[in-house]
Amino acid sequence: QKEVEQDPGPLSVPEGAIVSLNCTYSNSAFQYFMWYRQYSRKGPELLMYTYSSGNKEDGRFTAQVDKSSKYISLFIRDSQPSDSATYLCAMCIKNNDMRFGAGTRLTVKP
Amino acid sequence: DGGITQSPKYLFRKEGQNVTLSCEQNLNHDAMYWYRQDPGQGLRLIYYSQIVNDFQKGDIAEGYSVSREKKESFPLTVTSAQKNPTAFYLCASSIEGFSGNTIYFGEGSWLTVV
């Protein structure tokens, strides 16, 4: 079993839809949870960062962490074609190696 | 502008050759990392360095080597011992080791074995 599981998709939605991206993990010691956005042939860029459980909102993006279920989510409201990218979840214990999901490829169609 | 510069963007290697990927950062970060990204897999850590003249192996260090002679530079050599080197290589840096909110990635280097 991988430490971090993420459905690779691909996921295709119409413009304006709400997108839900998810990861599950097995290591209960993870404390920091991140979502990165990666455009084609580019490096990942940090989108959201959450410490421990709870919700965090930034514009159209909301990150949720449920440590009891070992489940994290990223919601994108009013999705735009410019949101089309691969979304990577990542998590770590402070000062230890980050673990990444495989990435979900999202296409938002105009 | 501050950031991480990787070069070359695309590189072709013949079997049996060593190649070196360059990574330079002007963010004044102490920690630097090399990751490998393959289709359908998450990023996997090759090597990391938390201070100058010190580096540690990651999960998939076999067939790779690094050096950290300067704070801003962390080159990766892909040796002929790496059996499947075709991949997208990402360099990253952070203020301190493995703090998720401060890790920045370069634009990546594509290596293809021909």
Side-chain angles (χ1 to χ4, degrees), chain A residues 18-69:
Chain A
I18 296 175
V19 177
S20 173
L21 304 168
N22 312 292
C23 289
T24 59
Y25 61 94
S26 57
N27 188 346
S28 59
F30 286 135
Q31 300 169 289
Y32 297 84
F33 303 90
M34 284 71 67
W35 286 95
Y36 286 86
R37 179 175 61 196
Q38 185 176 24
Y39 291 113
S40 182
R41 297 181 176 269
K42 298 288 188 181
E45 55 179 328
L46 182 65
L47 200 57
M48 298 288 284
Y49 162 83
T50 310
Y51 172 71
S52 195
S53 283
N55 294 358
K56 185 172 185 178
E57 187 173 323
D58 184 2
R60 296 184 295 111
F61 299 90
T62 300
Q64 288 186 350
V65 174
D66 181 347
K67 291 193 73 177
S68 62
S69 300

Side-chain angles (χ1 to χ4, degrees), chain B residues 15 18 21 40 43 47 57 59 65 72 94-95 100 108 110 112:
Chain B
E15 288 198 24
N18 293 354
L21 307 180
L43 277 66
Y47 268 99
K57 292 182 179 181
D59 295 325
S65 65
E72 57 271 20
S94 64
I95 293 173
W110 289 88
T112 303

